[in-house]
């Protein structure tokens, strides 16, 4: 396992919590003025000793389990960042992963999260991109389209749960 986290409408996920307050001019929460709201979380990643022997690594297989607990569509991308914060590579090379909304009851409580499991293969060329990566940034965009503005009181309970693991396939010289 590399790690797991939950991304939500809180300052840890880079969300401006002022957006949950009511705009006195419109009597609606500030977040309704945005089509999408970005969230992110960064965790440590150290390929370290494995990379020193990268000529022996045939491939890395990253496994993701993602649970969308927002009653909205989300898009997600995961980046490998170097010490300067520059993206060295990303998980989904054909654009962000899209997940359907979670199911909510009439009270706005989530009754069923959508789930996606993905295996992302890094061959030897892509493994080289990770040489200087020291962090993984999980980036989530959730769409505000079609969300009931009255559900704002539940927003601190809405989360995108992410679990990341990795398996290395090695070649041993005998």
């Amino acid at each position: 396992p590399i790690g797991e986290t939950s991304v939500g409408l809180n300052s840890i996920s880079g969300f401006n919590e002022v957006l949950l307050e009511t705009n006195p001019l419109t009597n609606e929460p500030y977040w309704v003025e945005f089509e999408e709201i970005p969230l992110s979380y960064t965790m440590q990643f150290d390929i370290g000793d494995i990379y020193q022997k990268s000529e022996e690594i045939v491939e890395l297989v990253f496994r993701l389990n993602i649970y969308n607990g927002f009653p909205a569509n989300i898009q997600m991308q995961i980046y490998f960042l170097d010490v300067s914060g520059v993206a060295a590579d990303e998980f989904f090379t054909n654009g962000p992963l899209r997940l359907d909304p979670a199911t909510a009851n009439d009270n706005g409580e989530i009754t069923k999260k959508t789930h996606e499991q993905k295996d992302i293969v890094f061959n030897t060329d892509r493994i080289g991109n990770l040489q200087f990566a020291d962090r993984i940034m999980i980036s989530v965009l959730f769409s505000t389209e079609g969300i009931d503005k009255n559900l704002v009181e539940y927003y601190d309970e809405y989360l995108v749960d992410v679990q990341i693991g990795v398996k290395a396939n090695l070649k041993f010289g005998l």
Side-chain angles (χ1 to χ4, degrees), residues 39-70:
L39 305 170
S40 65
Y41 182 80
T42 303
M43 64 177 65
Q44 294 298 310
F45 172 76
D46 185 12
I47 200 167
D49 295 334
I50 295 173
Y51 185 80
Q52 300 303 321
K53 300 172 182 131
S54 64
E55 67 277 0
E56 298 173 4
I57 298 175
V58 177
E59 68 181 10
L60 293 174
V61 180
F62 291 91
R63 170 155 292 173
L64 296 173
N65 278 300
I66 305 136
Y67 300 86
N68 180 12
F70 278 91

Side-chain angles (χ1 to χ4, degrees), residues 59-63 91 118-122 127 165-169:
E59 68 181 10
L60 293 174
V61 180
F62 291 91
R63 170 155 292 173
F91 271 52
K118 291 284 186 189
D119 288 338
I120 296 90
V121 177
F122 274 59
I127 292 169
V166 65
K167 175 178 74 171
N169 293 324

Side-chain angles (χ1 to χ4, degrees), residues 86-159:
V86 175
D89 208 329
E90 60 191 24
F91 271 52
F92 309 110
T93 56
N94 294 327
L97 176 68
R98 299 177 192 282
L99 275 87
D100 291 331
T103 305
N105 65 20
D106 291 341
N107 295 326
E109 298 165 329
I110 299 301
T111 57
K112 183 178 180 201
K113 295 180 178 185
T114 54
H115 172 250
E116 189 79 33
Q117 183 177 76
K118 291 284 186 189
D119 288 338
I120 296 90
V121 177
F122 274 59
N123 60 22
T124 52
D125 293 334
R126 286 188 77 190
I127 292 169
N129 295 342
L130 306 182
Q131 178 181 7
F132 300 109
D134 71 343
R135 292 170 285 156
I136 293 176
M137 183 179 76
I138 300 164
S139 175
V140 174
L141 274 178
F142 87 87
S143 171
T144 61
E145 185 179 332
I147 296 180
D148 184 347
K149 299 169 198 106
N150 297 320
L151 298 181
V152 71
E153 67 186 271
Y154 293 101
Y155 268 29
D156 60 345
E157 298 174 18
Y158 297 156
L159 301 168

